[in-house]
Amino acid sequence: MVRVGVLALQGGWAAHLACLRGLGHRAVEVRSPRALDGLDGLVLPGGESTAQWRLLTRAPGLAEALRSFAGSGAPVLVTCAGLVLAARAVAPTQPSLDLLDVCVRRNGWGRQLASAEARADDGTPLVLIRAPRIEAVGDGVTVETTLDGEPVLVRQANVWGATYHPELAGDLRAYARPFRRGW
């Protein structure tokens, strides 16, 4: 059984836990560096990225532990606000963990009123809620899924970044790909 942690400080962490458990994984809440011990993978969920950053920096050593975990090669899935937290660069400027070589624009697909359901170019169901837009990808980043030709799911080594909410779209493929056995 794969043991996957979900950062549970703010946002949609409970829905991620349910999806992971639905795949037969042991899903646990992460609120401290110690909670990362023994995990096989990690999810940084959607929510409000500035609130998540504030809470993250109030937990002693958590930001550094998340960076270290991602650097270990274990699979990490970041969604929506989690993508903002993981991006190398964010517009408007805000601090981040710099786990994924992408530049994102917060609320790039529109504000709350522009939230929508859509289908990616490959048919993947998407739920976009104040979603970040990936404006640039680094050389080591591959685009896995697009919407009208623009990246909505990217991967750099072990870190997967989604602009959308797979936990709300009911698309478990977003979890099955990074958290499959034999990573």
Side-chain angles (χ1 to χ4, degrees), residues 26-39:
R26 182 164 178 238
V28 298
E29 299 170 15
V30 172
R31 292 189 177 93
S32 70
R34 188 174 182 114
L36 294 166
D37 294 346
L39 293 181

Side-chain angles (χ1 to χ4, degrees), residues 7-85:
L7 186 64
L9 300 177
Q10 187 272 342
W13 53 270
H16 285 285
L17 291 171
C19 287
L20 290 163
R21 290 173 181 150
L23 284 169
H25 298 318
R26 182 164 178 238
V28 298
E29 299 170 15
V30 172
R31 292 189 177 93
S32 70
R34 188 174 182 114
L36 294 166
D37 294 346
L39 293 181
D40 300 307
L42 179 67
V43 174
L44 301 183
E48 209 294 311
S49 62
T50 55
Q52 287 186 10
W53 184 259
R54 275 194 310 271
L55 293 167
L56 182 64
T57 58
R58 289 182 185 164
L62 186 54
E64 296 78 18
L66 293 172
R67 285 185 187 105
S68 178
F69 186 87
S72 76
V76 177
L77 172 65
V78 298
T79 66
C80 201
L83 175 60
V84 174
L85 289 179

